Amino acid sequence: MANLTAFFNCDDRTMEQDPALPSLNQEPELLKTVLNKEGFRFTNQRQKILDLFQSAALGHHLNAEEIHQQLLDQGEKISFSTIYRALHVMVRLGLLQELELAEGRKYYELNTPFMNQHHHLVCVHCGDVKEFEDAKMTQVGSNESASHGFSLLNCQFTVYGICPSCQSLLS
Amino acid sequence: MANLTAFFNCDDRTMEQDPALPSLNQEPELLKTVLNKEGFRFTNQRQKILDLFQSAALGHHLNAEEIHQQLLDQGEKISFSTIYRALHVMVRLGLLQELELAEGRKYYELNTPFMNQHHHLVCVHCGDVKEFEDAKMTQVGSNESASHGFSLLNCQFTVYGICPSCQSLLS
DNA sequence: AACCTATTGAAAATCATTTTCGCTATCCAT
DNA sequence: ATGGATAGCGAAAATGATTTTCAATAGGTT
Ligand SMILES: [Mn+2]
Ligand SMILES: [Mn+2]
Ligand SMILES: [Zn+2]
Ligand SMILES: [Zn+2]
């Protein structure tokens, strides 16, 4: 059972984890290389989606809905099935990271090498998200997974609370 | 927007966070007290659900489906709506903790005082979960939330990986 | 005991995500 | 370049967990 979504769900193909996390930040055409290396095809839609993340403000997370809307806004027509499939593939390839920030939908952001991983402080009332880094997290995560013989995929430290402005609203 | 589920979703009533985390471990009738204190009513269904958690093995997490099944097995008839409502109320009261372990459904477990909070190492392939404690986590969580002026509700550190036996299966 | 209203169960509704399927476009080999 | 095999696409239907609606009931209070 289990078989968690983004990791093993790109249509019906056998998938294994990819230890190398390519950082294709500005590099042109790198997406095609990364995709093809694993037997995936390069498509316009996938490039457009990745572009969104690369041009998004740091600390900004996107969900499928927002991706769809932003692409519509910029004149691109794309279906939700394609968006979801692309997100899964890119998570699988280590290009994106899937986040469980809260409220029943998944958010995505550009993946970063383990050592620079950051974490999230979320206001459960307005959804505001603050990012922070802390080397201790990464350390504890890899220690734990190692000590249980797990191969590490990623760590998420999420702190839930109520932000200052929501606190005053709720007086 | 946002208004995250379990925290603010017990039918339509104004809810605010409850700083006191009652630990009603073995205490009889304490559930009634805790519920009434906040204007909720004590019901048989809520008691039955809480009982499940109290008699569950340590480190065991339950989702709505499992709760429903276990109650059926022990001869109790209960609807899913009631289960979900009860879970929300009990999270709201600090009796339970909601976990985003993975795979699109929520899990619950008895809440524990902040300082004893534990975290999870999840195998994304088979869903196996290992628990671990680490004081550093809690520390970082409260520091972060404090430094942003957030009032802390809870911290979840979740490490995703592949367990030893799944690693060999995927040779 | 009577009253007010929170809670319940059943059924319908949501809603994010997944699947199906016929068609198209990408990749690889000729 | 050309052609074939098939991964990927869009549209629409399907899923599945969770939420909501609503009439009936039960908990807490006076
Ligand atoms: Mn982030
Ligand atoms: Mn646990
Ligand atoms: Zn807020
Ligand atoms: Zn496993």
Side-chain angles (χ1 to χ4, degrees):
Chain A
M1 61 166 297
N3 233 28
L4 309 193
T5 51
F7 294 98
F8 299 89
N9 219 7
C10 319
D11 280 341
D12 283 319
R13 188 190 323 201
T14 303
M15 322 204 80
E16 284 153 16
Q17 71 279 25
D18 183 8
L21 301 179
S23 69
L24 46 61
N25 295 358
Q26 305 311 30
E27 330 239 357
E29 298 299 311
L30 189 41
L31 176 57
K32 178 171 185 349
T33 311
V34 175
L35 284 165
N36 291 348
K37 189 186 316 173
E38 299 285 329
F40 294 105
R41 292 179 181 175
F42 173 85
T43 69
N44 228 274
Q45 291 90 330
R46 287 170 180 180
Q47 182 67 66
K48 288 293 180 345
I49 292 175
L50 186 55
D51 288 347
L52 280 188
F53 285 101
Q54 288 175 328
S55 63
L58 263 189
H60 200 211
H61 309 99
L62 296 170
N63 60 43
E65 174 78 41
E66 292 166 338
I67 291 170
H68 186 250
Q69 189 56 55
Q70 293 196 20
L71 288 181
L72 276 191
D73 290 350
Q74 75 182 54
E76 306 291 338
K77 195 173 14 214
I78 189 173
S79 73
F80 273 103
S81 10
T82 299
I83 294 175
Y84 282 112
R85 281 181 292 229
L87 291 172
H88 293 160
V89 170
M90 295 199 270
V91 167
R92 164 67 181 66
L93 295 175
L95 300 178
L96 298 181
Q97 170 132 184
E98 184 181 66
L99 301 177
E100 314 265 5
L101 291 183
E103 75 176 275
R105 57 175 56 174
K106 290 179 183 141
Y107 284 83
Y108 298 84
E109 68 181 345
L110 284 180
N111 192 14
T112 46
F114 276 124
M115 280 312 152
N116 301 57
Q117 212 97 67
H118 66 267
H119 304 281
H120 302 90
L121 171 60
V122 184
C123 173
V124 300
H125 191 251
C126 68
D128 188 29
V129 178
K130 306 288 185 202
E131 300 188 325
F132 62 91
E133 289 183 44
D134 193 310
K136 288 193 282 300
M137 298 293 100
T138 323
Q139 193 56 285
V140 172
S142 35
N143 286 165
E144 268 319 313
S145 87
S147 80
H148 287 271
F150 277 53
S151 72
L152 179 57
L153 287 173
N154 86 71
C155 302
Q156 283 186 39
F157 184 48
T158 310
V159 182
Y160 298 96
I162 298 190
C163 76
S165 61
C166 286
Q167 285 175 53
S168 39
L169 282 184
L170 306 177
S171 58
Chain B
M1 62 165 297
N3 232 27
L4 308 192
T5 50
F7 295 97
F8 299 89
N9 219 8
C10 320
D11 280 340
D12 284 320
R13 187 188 324 199
T14 303
M15 321 204 81
E16 284 152 15
Q17 71 278 26
D18 183 7
L21 301 178
S23 70
L24 45 61
N25 295 357
Q26 305 310 30
E27 330 239 357
E29 297 301 309
L30 189 40
L31 176 57
K32 178 170 184 353
T33 310
V34 175
L35 283 165
N36 291 348
K37 189 185 318 174
E38 298 286 329
F40 294 106
R41 292 179 181 175
F42 172 85
T43 68
N44 227 275
Q45 292 91 329
R46 288 170 178 177
Q47 182 66 67
K48 288 293 179 349
I49 292 175
L50 186 55
D51 287 347
L52 280 187
F53 285 101
Q54 289 175 327
S55 64
L58 262 189
H60 199 209
H61 310 99
L62 296 171
N63 60 43
E65 172 78 41
E66 293 166 338
I67 291 170
H68 186 250
Q69 188 55 55
Q70 293 195 21
L71 288 180
L72 277 192
D73 290 350
Q74 75 183 54
E76 306 292 338
K77 196 173 13 214
I78 190 173
S79 73
F80 274 101
S81 11
T82 300
I83 293 175
Y84 282 111
R85 281 182 291 229
L87 290 172
H88 294 159
V89 171
M90 295 198 270
V91 168
R92 162 68 180 66
L93 295 175
L95 300 177
L96 297 181
Q97 169 132 183
E98 184 182 66
L99 301 177
E100 314 266 4
L101 291 183
E103 75 175 275
R105 56 173 59 173
K106 291 180 183 137
Y107 283 83
Y108 298 84
E109 68 182 343
L110 284 180
N111 192 15
T112 46
F114 276 124
M115 281 310 150
N116 303 57
Q117 213 96 68
H118 65 267
H119 304 282
H120 302 90
L121 171 60
V122 184
C123 173
V124 300
H125 191 250
C126 68
D128 188 29
V129 178
K130 306 289 185 200
E131 300 187 326
F132 62 91
E133 288 183 45
D134 193 311
K136 287 192 282 299
M137 299 292 102
T138 322
Q139 194 55 286
V140 173
S142 35
N143 286 166
E144 268 320 313
S145 87
S147 80
H148 288 270
F150 277 53
S151 73
L152 179 57
L153 287 173
N154 85 69
C155 302
Q156 282 186 39
F157 185 48
T158 310
V159 182
Y160 298 96
I162 299 190
C163 76
S165 60
C166 287
Q167 284 176 52
S168 39
L169 282 183
L170 306 177
S171 54

